[in-house]
Amino acid sequence: MSNETPVHAADAAPPATEKVPSAASRKLADEIARRRTFAIISHPDAGKTTLTEKLLLFGGAIQLAGQVKAKKDGRATRSDWMAIEKARGISVATSVMTFEYGGAVFNLLDTPGHEDFSDDTYRTLTAVDSAIMVIDAARGIETRTRKLFEICRLRDIPIVTFINKLDREAREPLDLLDEIEKTLALETAPMVWPIGQGRDFRGTYDLYQPRVRRLDESFDGIPVSGPDDPLIAGLMEPDAHQRWREEIDLVANACGKFDLDQFRHGALTPVYFGSALKNFGVRDVLDALKTYAPPPRTQQAATRDIEASEPAMTGIIFKIQANMDPNHRDRIAFMRVCSGKLARGMKAKHVRSGKTMALSAPQFFFAQDRSIAEEAYAGDVVGIPNRGTLRIGDALTEGEDITFLGIPSFAPEILRRIRLEDAIKAKKLKDAIREMAEEGVVQVFNPIDGTQPVVGVIGALQLDVLADRLVHEYGLKTDFDPAPCDAVRWIRAKDPAKLKAFVEANRSSVATDMDGDYVYLPASVFTLNYNAGRNPDVEFLEIKT
């Protein structure tokens, strides 16, 4: 490994006005420096859920890692906890898991892998400081991986790459590195090199501290003199060893070297090889996050940047989840602490409403399991029980008026109206849809002419999730009808009179969203383009920021 030592923001010299840091400020700086908040990005079936379980196993958070579709035997805490997730073996909601390992505190945000939930994933990636990119060794870079990577690139999120499933038939490692560099325009720095692959996969060779880690043996491995050590030759057939030795020479001369600064700026990724299913190479990745990943980073707000080391607590709500515990019909707002320290019982200002709220029961999460958080620091993700007060994008502070940037709303691609089998339950349906809209599961648009609301989602699977949750969590059987519109655009204008005139002229096609902002619902894309051309003073927005 590199001998470079990560430089934490919390370790920087104090301002000149603060001559001697107090014990409290030193503890704050030390605690913040320990935090690592990260997500895992991958194409479906690349092994993300398995890697998540094995990371948690190394973190001591669970005793037994269960299979994705294991029987309902209570063996393991699972990141996929919804009924539809358990049935299909997929992640459709963001789970939050907090655990300690090697003196660091990790906050793992397990994101949906399916593209139909890209809006939820985007919001989650605004709350992390680094990410693990999981790549299937047989398939290489896939569509979903590329899209998620581009989101990370927008925020310069440092990425650690884990090439998974080396124990199965796989592509050549050099081809995979070349694909990463060409497809993602991302420099690679292999940290270990596989010894064999598929049925002949024997382990990895550490390129920075010469040692061999063998499959199913101690993680610490066996120190070797270098790539010519007889131990390595004994693991392969002579021809395979000769090819491997040539590869090592090529890697040493042609591949990139790890550079901490480039990694921290999102320009280079350290690459590890292994098999999550066989628990091989996973600890390498966890150690890399602990050693190289940045501590909590500066967050952008409308008026100024928020430094993690500031003593005053600030936080942003990036996700709402209702009914994580169906027995209690609870509602949790997930907040990333952006600066300072949160203490149980403290009072915080809800900036959007201007009201003060007591944080009497903040919680740490491990998927659906939870524990009371007596204190949390910048970088931590905590759950705040609430009854609909908090929304995605809201800020909580110790008094300052702050609006955080970076959590947009995307125009949905599928629009429907909900048909209820039992009309008597219409009020219950209205409340259920409002709650799920506040979570970000769907978007709801209320036409200003008083007709039935329109719900919008990014992908078809979100409709399945909506119907499934309405049945399992609210006892409502529903179906979907086509909506009388084919697109959604938020509308605004610098001149309020121009906006009002457009709204009045198109009352049957204008609605309001949950925040009361005007939305145009044209019958077709042709109608949208036609009216956009006729109304140059009105903006038609696909993304609301």
Side-chain angles (χ1 to χ4, degrees), residues 318-483:
F318 68 91
K319 179 177 176 60
I320 306 286
Q321 185 70 59
N323 304 326
M324 290 185 70
D325 183 350
N327 295 324
H328 295 93
R329 307 288 294 177
D330 60 352
R331 186 177 182 78
I332 301 293
F334 288 94
M335 182 179 82
R336 150 107 187 202
V337 182
C338 297
S339 67
K341 173 185 174 182
L342 180 150
R344 180 185 179 190
M346 73 182 297
K347 288 183 168 53
K349 180 178 181 178
H350 180 222
V351 174
R352 180 170 54 83
S353 67
K355 297 180 180 178
T356 299
M357 60 186 298
L359 305 180
S360 54
Q363 299 170 356
F364 283 131
F365 279 86
F366 186 69
Q368 78 273 40
D369 296 337
R370 63 189 77 182
S371 61
I372 292 294
E374 296 295 339
E375 58 185 25
Y377 295 86
D380 282 335
V381 174
V382 298
I384 300 174
N386 77 104
R387 296 181 176 274
T389 305
L390 298 173
R391 293 184 189 173
I392 292 171
D394 280 357
L396 295 181
T397 72
E398 290 192 46
E400 185 178 359
D401 288 335
I402 289 174
T403 301
F404 286 101
L405 305 178
I407 300 188
S409 296
F410 298 92
E413 298 175 11
I414 299 175
L415 302 167
R416 295 289 186 270
R417 279 180 165 159
I418 299 178
R419 185 174 71 251
L420 188 61
E421 288 189 8
D422 186 353
I424 296 176
K425 296 181 179 179
K427 172 68 166 58
K428 189 174 183 181
L429 174 64
K430 182 179 179 180
D431 291 341
I433 294 301
R434 176 182 51 78
E435 288 183 3
M436 281 194 272
E438 290 173 353
E439 290 179 40
V441 175
V442 296
Q443 295 184 59
V444 179
F445 307 105
N446 295 296
I448 62 174
D449 63 4
T451 53
Q452 188 180 352
V454 172
V455 298
V457 295
I458 299 294
L461 186 55
Q462 281 183 302
L463 288 177
D464 294 344
V465 171
L466 175 59
D468 184 84
R469 291 189 60 188
L470 286 172
V471 169
H472 286 93
E473 298 176 18
Y474 297 93
L476 297 171
K477 292 184 178 181
T478 60
D479 206 343
F480 299 105
D481 292 327

Side-chain angles (χ1 to χ4, degrees), residues 87-152:
R88 301 194 185 190
I90 56 172
S91 300
V92 301
T94 298
S95 294
V96 178
M97 287 149 281
T98 300
F99 62 96
E100 291 195 44
Y101 169 79
V105 178
F106 290 89
N107 293 283
L108 165 56
L109 278 59
D110 181 30
T111 60
H114 200 285
E115 64 183 351
D116 285 1
F117 301 89
S118 55
D119 49 346
D120 191 12
T121 301
Y122 190 99
R123 289 191 294 266
T124 299
L125 291 176
T126 66
V128 303
D129 302 306
S130 57
I132 298 173
M133 179 167 64
V134 183
I135 296 174
D136 186 319
R139 298 177 180 176
I141 300 292
E142 297 176 88
T143 306
R144 182 69 177 145
T145 312
R146 187 183 302 115
K147 290 180 179 178
L148 291 171
F149 171 78
E150 291 302 331
I151 295 173
C152 291

Side-chain angles (χ1 to χ4, degrees), residues 7-24:
V7 178
H8 302 313
D11 296 333
T17 54
E18 187 181 348
K19 295 180 180 179
V20 180
S22 66

Side-chain angles (χ1 to χ4, degrees), residues 166-184:
L166 260 292
D167 56 324
R168 303 180 187 181
E169 291 308 311
R171 291 167 53 184
E172 291 297 327
L174 285 169
D175 288 344
L176 291 167
L177 294 184
D178 186 58
E179 184 180 34
I180 293 172
E181 296 198 352
K182 289 181 177 177
T183 305
L184 304 181

Side-chain angles (χ1 to χ4, degrees), residues 152-195:
C152 291
R153 168 165 278 164
L154 289 173
R155 302 188 61 244
D156 295 327
I157 294 175
I159 291 176
V160 175
T161 298
F162 180 64
I163 296 181
N164 191 25
K165 303 184 181 181
L166 260 292
D167 56 324
R168 303 180 187 181
E169 291 308 311
R171 291 167 53 184
E172 291 297 327
L174 285 169
D175 288 344
L176 291 167
L177 294 184
D178 186 58
E179 184 180 34
I180 293 172
E181 296 198 352
K182 289 181 177 177
T183 305
L184 304 181
L186 178 68
E187 293 293 321
T188 61
M191 309 298 280
V192 299
W193 200 252
I195 301 173

